Amino acid sequence: MLSLPLFMKQNMIVSSQVSSQVSTHSSILHTKPSLDFHSVIATPYTFLKPREGFMTTVRDIAALSGVSISTISRVLNEPEKVATDTLVKVNEAIEELNYVKRPVKKKRTKLFGIIFPNISNPFFAELLEVLEKEAYLHGRCIMFFNSRYSTRTEKIYFNECISHNVDGVFLVPSSIDPQHLRQINEFKFPTVLLTKSTSALPSVCCDHEDGGKQVAEHLLSLGHTKIGYIGPINDNEEKLTGFTRYLVEQLEPLQPEYMFDHGDGADIEGFLKGLIDANGHIAISAIFCMNDVLAQSVIEILNRHDIRCPEDVTVIGFDNSLTAKLINISSVSQPMKEIAHLGFESMLEELKHDRSSSNYQSKMLKPRLVRRNSMPETIHK
């Protein structure tokens, strides 16, 4: 008689008849089992302890605990949907068999999110184009969001990135507040900061402090001492830090009355009008602006009040965008191609090692002051 598998012996009724015919040529064994089909289907798995050196599977857990594989799956992935007694029984089997759930590797979508604070700024438009080209060269696609300098909007767009299952996000942050950056670092995908420096996340930026210093050096070399500044005024504004520090070192500190904290709805024209006396003369001979778009606005306002640039006031911007080239002003250039390239390198490195840290070393690039149409202070007189 043929030897049947153990589970068939335990769960099936087997009847067999054997008849033999002997001839000079052969002997034939006929076995005719009678199977109860429904009992086979309803039978739970028979537990056989895994052999040494073999990994425990969910099938083994199901057999030991006497439940189906689908129940084991719910225990592992949605335990809140499983009855307490079943949960206890399955967990005991898991512990006895030393089962370790294999981590599910995230499927790559080859899609990256990009969140910028202001796409109307030509610098960010140019940077976006460079990033898109870099993504194409790496066989990736991008989706773009404009946060309008709002951390709230930024968070909404991060949620959109989650729903689209992006591999990572490139961010020019609206704020580098430590708590805000820590929240970003908790997302399951990596985020690489561009143009801003931080140790909380991977970041690639230009040395803004050195850029501010270069502007101060340039203006002092032209003899300017009555210098204005328009832009954010806080300890995190590295352009301002480098600018004011060098002026102080040269004993020509920036005067508070010549500084204006630029923000949403800020009355730049009111500030500039306050520097013009009754005879139409302006109190300063040079202004450093936080970016080229702001520099363009300043020039337009001064022109409306019959103040010529650069003949009466030298205006210097930051970014060396298309705007600076069109209005022909000096501006600090940020190496966009290098920022994009190193940003992608950092992103791919994070994805390769699937790592997360709370202390990163920022990749810092050197800026360069591009000099155009800057007038010496003596000309203004």
Side-chain angles (χ1 to χ4, degrees), residues 16-49:
S16 61
Q17 295 178 341
V18 179
S19 62
S20 303
Q21 287 185 338
V22 178
S23 68
T24 56
H25 298 289
S26 63
S27 63
I28 303 173
L29 176 64
H30 295 277
T31 304
K32 189 177 182 180
S34 176
L35 305 179
D36 183 347
F37 177 75
H38 295 288
S39 68
V40 173
I41 296 301
T43 301
Y45 297 100
T46 301
F47 173 66
L48 295 174
K49 193 163 186 177

Side-chain angles (χ1 to χ4, degrees), residues 307-368:
I307 304 295
R308 300 169 302 164
C309 301
E311 291 82 2
D312 298 322
V313 177
T314 292
V315 179
I316 296 184
F318 205 102
D319 294 334
N320 194 37
S321 63
L322 180 62
T323 299
K325 298 167 188 174
L326 289 175
I327 62 178
N328 196 30
I329 61 168
S330 297
S331 183
V332 178
S333 175
Q334 301 193 68
M336 279 188 288
K337 290 183 179 179
E338 290 85 347
I339 290 174
H341 180 70
L342 289 176
F344 258 91
E345 276 191 356
S346 298
M347 178 65 75
L348 296 177
E349 192 71 16
E350 293 297 308
L351 291 172
K352 180 180 177 181
H353 297 289
D354 195 22
R355 65 190 181 192
S356 179
S357 174
S358 58
N359 189 17
Y360 288 92
Q361 184 70 38
S362 182
K363 295 179 180 179
M364 192 83 71
L365 299 171
K366 188 171 179 60
R368 177 177 60 91

Side-chain angles (χ1 to χ4, degrees), residues 30-290:
H30 295 277
T31 304
K32 189 177 182 180
S34 176
L35 305 179
D36 183 347
F37 177 75
H38 295 288
S39 68
V40 173
I41 296 301
T43 301
Y45 297 100
T46 301
F47 173 66
L48 295 174
K49 193 163 186 177
R51 288 179 292 167
E52 188 175 349
F54 286 80
M55 291 186 64
T56 301
T57 67
V58 291
R59 188 181 293 271
D60 298 320
I61 301 170
L64 181 58
S65 56
V67 299
S68 66
I69 291 178
S70 60
T71 300
I72 303 300
S73 178
R74 282 196 296 274
V75 170
L76 294 172
N77 300 300
E78 298 176 301
E80 68 280 359
K81 296 183 179 181
V82 182
T84 304
D85 56 342
T86 303
L87 195 62
V88 171
K89 183 166 54 176
V90 171
N91 282 331
E92 287 176 351
I94 288 173
E95 187 175 350
E96 181 177 340
L97 295 174
N98 295 320
Y99 174 77
V100 178
K101 184 181 177 182
R102 297 178 185 177
V104 179
K105 191 171 183 180
K106 180 180 180 291
K107 185 178 179 181
R108 301 299 184 197
T109 59
K110 295 189 176 181
L111 177 66
F112 289 121
I114 296 178
I115 305 176
F116 281 178
N118 182 14
I119 195 58
S120 64
N121 185 332
F123 171 76
F124 292 124
E126 293 173 47
L127 181 57
L128 177 60
E129 183 178 3
V130 175
L131 277 171
E132 189 279 329
K133 184 176 180 180
E134 194 73 27
Y136 173 78
L137 294 174
H138 284 86
R140 304 301 207 277
C141 295
I142 63 170
M143 57 190 301
F144 172 73
F145 302 96
N146 186 20
S147 71
R148 297 173 180 83
Y149 287 104
S150 166
T151 55
R152 181 177 177 277
T153 305
E154 209 170 86
K155 291 174 183 177
I156 292 172
Y157 290 148
F158 264 110
N159 287 329
E160 283 296 312
C161 289
I162 292 171
S163 65
H164 284 84
N165 199 29
V166 301
D167 290 340
V169 170
F170 294 99
L171 171 69
V172 177
S174 54
S175 168
I176 56 173
D177 175 70
Q179 183 178 356
H180 179 57
L181 297 181
R182 278 195 298 270
Q183 290 175 345
I184 293 173
N185 198 27
E186 290 174 0
F187 291 122
K188 292 183 179 180
F189 49 74
T191 299
V192 175
L193 261 59
L194 302 177
T195 76
K196 295 289 186 180
S197 173
T198 179
S199 61
L201 292 164
S203 59
V204 181
C205 67
C206 174
D207 189 343
H208 288 171
E209 191 171 321
D210 183 60
K213 177 185 176 183
Q214 289 185 39
V215 173
E217 285 180 315
H218 177 57
L219 291 177
L220 289 182
S221 72
L222 294 175
H224 294 284
T225 55
K226 295 181 179 179
I227 302 170
Y229 167 83
I230 299 179
I233 300 176
N234 57 65
D235 294 337
N236 294 323
E237 185 51 53
E238 295 173 340
K239 300 171 190 176
L240 177 61
T241 300
F243 185 63
T244 55
R245 181 178 295 163
Y246 186 80
L247 292 176
V248 169
E249 290 173 355
Q250 302 303 311
L251 305 179
E252 294 290 350
L254 195 61
Q255 300 302 314
E257 61 267 28
Y258 298 157
M259 300 173 67
F260 184 73
D261 194 348
H262 172 260
D264 290 338
D267 184 12
I268 300 175
E269 185 160 8
F271 165 70
L272 293 172
K273 283 173 64 177
L275 298 177
I276 302 172
D277 63 20
N279 297 319
H281 298 132
I282 191 164
I284 55 177
S285 62
I287 302 178
F288 174 38
C289 299
M290 69 170 290

